[in-house]
Amino acid sequence: MTLLAKLRCVTIDVTGTLMAYKGELGDYYCMAAKAAGQPCPDYKRMHEGFKLAYKEMAKNYPCFGYAAKMSNIIWWKTCVRDSFVRAGYVYDEETFEKIFRRIYASFGSSAPYSVFPDSQPFLRWLREQGIKVGIVSNAEYRYQDVILPALGLNEGSEWDFGVFSGLEGVEKPNPKIYEIALERGGNIPPEQTLHIGDSIRKDYEPAKSIGMHALLVDRFKTPEAEEWRKSGAVVLPDLFTVQEWLSSNESDY
């Protein structure tokens, strides 16, 4: 019996699994600064500044400020301002507001993202098999309401339900986010559910810990992928291969 025959639900990660970022962070920060009449910030400093600022915000105000009742726009405004400061750029309030508004609008659109060519066909194929599809992502509400639909990944045609950390107050790798997904899918038993993602720590291990099936997609030939395989994880290069694997007897595990 193939794994596919046992499944009633598949949950799937977004970034790195269904889509990727286009270009560099610095591209969007540069365009925003130039539009406000400022010189383009240094890409490397900006990237490092953002990484540190985002990490700090995620630690102090997890799930995009859910517990603190912080609005999404304030969370991002604080993060973006700190990113610039850490990179060595301080603007007056009016200039920063112009820069921030442009950055916030860019990342709330489809512009910085690229959907992998196998994503939409794979999700539709799952639903054609009668399998419920759930999105599980450490992301804010705009992914559900704006970004995924703008990329052609729509609730009702590509996926059935979503669990987004910014809306739930729980984020990966907390296994509770997967428990919420099982409940939202219609109280589906974990052994009848497969989770697909690109992180062993955030996707594979927490899903397995509550009894779900899990596999990893390694689109970018991650150096750690061999270690993942040695630990017993199924690691496949893309979703077309996942589809073939699910339909084969190799998936009976």
Side-chain angles (χ1 to χ4, degrees):
M1 189 191 230
T2 64
L3 177 57
L4 185 65
K6 301 174 188 173
L7 294 178
R8 287 174 53 202
C9 178
V10 169
T11 59
I12 193 161
D13 166 57
V14 177
T15 309
T17 306
L18 294 176
M19 70 181 197
Y21 289 108
K22 249 189 329 202
E24 291 184 60
L25 180 89
D27 295 333
Y28 303 97
Y29 280 59
C30 179
M31 282 190 287
K34 281 184 168 178
Q38 299 295 313
C40 184
D42 180 82
Y43 273 39
K44 189 176 179 195
R45 275 162 46 203
M46 205 67 249
H47 182 72
E48 288 305 313
F50 175 78
K51 271 203 315 191
L52 293 169
Y54 186 91
K55 190 176 179 183
E56 186 78 5
M57 283 300 287
K59 181 179 147 200
N60 294 338
Y61 302 100
C63 302
F64 303 95
Y66 181 92
K69 295 185 168 51
M70 184 183 283
S71 72
N72 195 63
I73 196 164
I74 295 298
W75 195 96
W76 279 113
K77 185 179 278 192
T78 310
C79 183
V80 169
R81 190 193 302 274
D82 191 30
S83 300
F84 277 115
V85 170
R86 287 170 185 267
Y89 302 95
V90 179
Y91 305 106
D92 63 71
E93 198 53 42
E94 187 184 348
T95 304
F96 174 72
E97 190 64 32
K98 285 180 189 168
I99 293 171
F100 170 71
R101 288 279 169 183
R102 194 174 181 97
I103 290 169
Y104 189 73
S106 291
F107 283 94
S109 73
S110 60
Y113 312 101
S114 172
V115 176
F116 296 115
D118 54 4
S119 296
Q120 191 186 67
F122 177 71
L123 297 177
R124 289 187 173 183
W125 173 76
L126 286 173
R127 295 183 81 247
E128 282 163 11
Q129 313 308 306
I131 292 170
K132 276 192 179 175
V133 175
I135 302 288
V136 180
S137 178
N138 283 355
E140 35 112 335
Y141 79 92
R142 292 183 299 171
Y143 266 49
Q144 175 177 269
D145 297 348
V146 183
I147 296 165
L148 289 175
L151 291 166
L153 301 177
N154 294 284
E155 187 172 2
S157 55
E158 280 75 38
W159 48 281
D160 298 287
F161 65 91
V163 183
F164 299 89
S165 62
L167 295 171
E168 306 296 339
V170 183
E171 62 190 7
K172 306 178 201 174
N174 188 337
K176 189 166 173 20
I177 200 166
Y178 295 98
E179 290 168 355
I180 293 168
L182 294 175
E183 189 181 317
R184 194 149 301 162
N187 293 311
I188 296 172
E191 62 272 14
Q192 294 178 3
T193 308
L194 166 70
H195 179 67
I196 302 170
D198 68 333
S199 166
I200 196 156
R201 187 179 72 86
K202 293 182 181 177
D203 293 298
Y204 186 85
E205 288 171 350
K208 291 285 277 188
S209 77
I210 64 161
M212 293 168 70
H213 299 278
L215 66 81
L216 292 164
V217 172
D218 176 34
R219 294 187 182 273
F220 304 109
K221 296 187 169 60
T222 313
E224 296 81 21
E226 204 44 54
E227 290 305 313
W228 300 348
R229 288 187 182 92
K230 283 178 187 169
S231 73
V234 173
V235 185
L236 299 170
D238 54 47
L239 293 175
F240 285 136
T241 314
V242 173
Q243 184 173 327
E244 287 171 10
W245 182 82
L246 281 173
S247 306
S248 75
N249 289 324
E250 288 175 51
S251 67
D252 185 15
Y253 78 105

